[in-house]
Amino acid sequence: GPITAPAVAGAIDRHSGVASQFATPAELRMALLLALGIYPFDLGGFGTGDVLGGGDTRAALLRLRGELLGVDA
């Protein structure tokens, strides 16, 4: 596949135990669809607003590919 480096999406603050970086369940499903070659923002699928910080399609795809899948754009 296109994954070029090992990556872990997420982090938990050591002192408070609160997640400081995370992926939502919807983002995980979108990333899996994208890894399978399925466009997750197709009609009847997910919206770009379902991605944290993904106001537009490009920003949403960059987060899914770069931060969740570890693919260099």
Side-chain angles (χ1 to χ4, degrees), residues 7-31:
V8 174
I12 296 176
D13 183 78
R14 179 180 301 221
H15 302 291
S16 68
V18 176
S20 58
Q21 297 174 351
F22 58 91
T24 65
E27 288 179 321
L28 176 61
R29 290 191 296 272
M30 286 183 271

Side-chain angles (χ1 to χ4, degrees), residues 29-66:
R29 290 191 296 272
M30 286 183 271
L32 292 173
L33 287 171
L34 195 59
L36 292 170
I38 301 169
Y39 185 67
F41 306 121
D42 202 9
L43 184 63
F46 295 96
T48 57
D50 295 328
V51 179
L52 296 176
D56 63 357
T57 304
R58 185 176 188 284
L61 288 172
L62 286 174
R63 172 165 165 75
L64 293 175
R65 288 187 61 182

